[in-house]
Amino acid sequence: AQKITQTQPGMFVQEKEAVTLDCTYDTSDQSYGLFWYKQPSSGEMIFLIYQGSYDEQNATEGRYSLNFQKARKSANLVISASQLGDSAMYFCAMREGRGSTLGRLYFGRGTQLTVWP
Amino acid sequence: DAGITQSPRYKITETGRQVTLMCHQTWSHSYMFWYRQDLGHGLRLIYYSAAADITDKGEVPDGYVVSRSKTENFPLTLESATRSQTSVYFCASSERAANHYEQYFGPGTRLTVT
């Protein structure tokens, strides 16, 4: 079974509008972490935001926020006031708390976001 | 330069040849990882390492070998390259395995096997 599911292969948003990228996860651990990475066309992986399973508040980093709904096992990324430079592939990832996994990340298949003027 | 570097950035090789992808990090992070990225699959873990001389398999280890004699280096070797190993390879490192420690990624190596 997929640990991370991103159901939107592609999303389109107009500049200055907000957009939500969906992510659901599957784990039986109580302790885990959720990450979002951005991959522009140049190929590098850029860390955006982190949410811990015990964090009571949703994480925010500038224009990025994470809508964390633990009971639904969802960790959606919200980008406010989209910019043309936000056009990229976005990956949701999870790290489980069990020591035997040595901190590896499980990635979803990604969502390609296109921002149009 | 500080950070995590990969070499070569681009490589074309023939089926059956041995290829080694290099990864070097300057932070003395304990944990290092190799992922491959293929269209429709996201990133999949090949091998990982918790420290020098400690390595273990990830999801897709077949056809790959790793070593870690020094903390800062984590080379990935394709012993006999196949076309199915055409991919983009990312090396990553993390200071700790705990949840909130970010993984830092190298710039990637684009490998084509002909």
Side-chain angles (χ1 to χ4, degrees):
Chain A
Q2 288 272 343
K3 291 264 189 192
I4 296 287
T5 301
Q6 294 180 253
T7 57
Q8 307 155 315
M11 288 286 285
F12 294 85
V13 65
Q14 191 171 24
E15 200 176 8
K16 300 180 185 177
E17 297 293 312
V19 63
T20 298
L21 306 184
D22 294 343
C23 173
T24 57
Y25 59 91
D26 181 26
T27 182
S28 56
D29 283 6
Q30 296 301 308
S31 174
Y32 52 88
L34 297 155
F35 299 78
W36 277 91
Y37 284 85
K38 173 184 178 181
Q39 186 179 45
S41 58
S42 52
E44 71 268 31
M45 296 290 286
I46 302 168
F47 166 73
L48 294 178
I49 196 166
Y50 166 81
Q51 179 84 43
S53 59
Y54 293 122
D55 293 342
E56 294 186 353
Q57 296 199 346
N58 288 341
T60 60
E61 289 286 348
R63 294 185 299 110
Y64 303 108
S65 61
L66 201 152
N67 184 0
F68 182 46
Q69 298 188 43
K70 198 169 182 177
R72 298 178 63 181
K73 293 190 175 179
S74 75
N76 299 338
L77 177 70
V78 181
I79 305 174
S80 63
S82 297
Q83 302 172 355
L84 296 178
D86 294 334
S87 292
M89 181 71 86
Y90 288 80
F91 290 99
C92 180
M94 177 177 66
R95 171 183 279 159
E96 291 178 311
R98 290 172 295 175
S100 62
T101 59
L102 292 176
R104 62 152 297 173
L105 288 174
Y106 296 93
F107 282 86
R109 296 181 177 182
T111 295
Q112 180 68 47
L113 176 67
T114 302
V115 182
W116 50 283
Chain B
D1 290 350
I4 183 165
T5 57
Q6 294 183 235
S7 61
R9 294 293 313 279
Y10 303 90
K11 177 75 176 178
I12 301 174
T13 191
E14 295 177 343
T15 300
R17 290 196 179 267
Q18 184 179 82
V19 177
T20 296
L21 309 184
M22 304 301 293
C23 178
H24 174 79
Q25 50 104 354
T26 60
W27 296 301
S28 298
H29 284 173
S30 295
Y31 294 87
M32 296 189 75
F33 309 84
W34 274 107
Y35 295 90
R36 61 177 287 173
Q37 182 179 15
D38 304 292
L39 200 61
H41 288 280
L43 278 75
R44 293 180 292 175
L45 183 68
I46 306 171
Y47 268 95
Y48 55 100
S49 169
D53 297 322
I54 301 175
T55 62
D56 207 347
K57 297 177 180 179
E59 293 173 73
V60 288
D62 293 344
Y64 303 95
V65 174
V66 294
S67 62
R68 195 162 176 213
S69 56
K70 292 184 178 180
T71 299
E72 61 267 30
N73 296 326
F74 191 37
L76 176 74
T77 298
L78 288 67
E79 293 188 299
S80 178
T82 65
R83 289 199 180 95
S84 65
Q85 293 176 310
T86 292
S87 187
V88 179
Y89 291 85
F90 285 98
C91 179
S93 73
S94 181
E95 184 179 353
R96 298 276 190 273
N99 289 343
H100 61 284
Y101 282 91
E102 178 189 341
Q103 277 191 21
Y104 296 86
F105 284 80
T109 294
R110 185 173 295 273
L111 176 68
T112 302
V113 183
T114 62

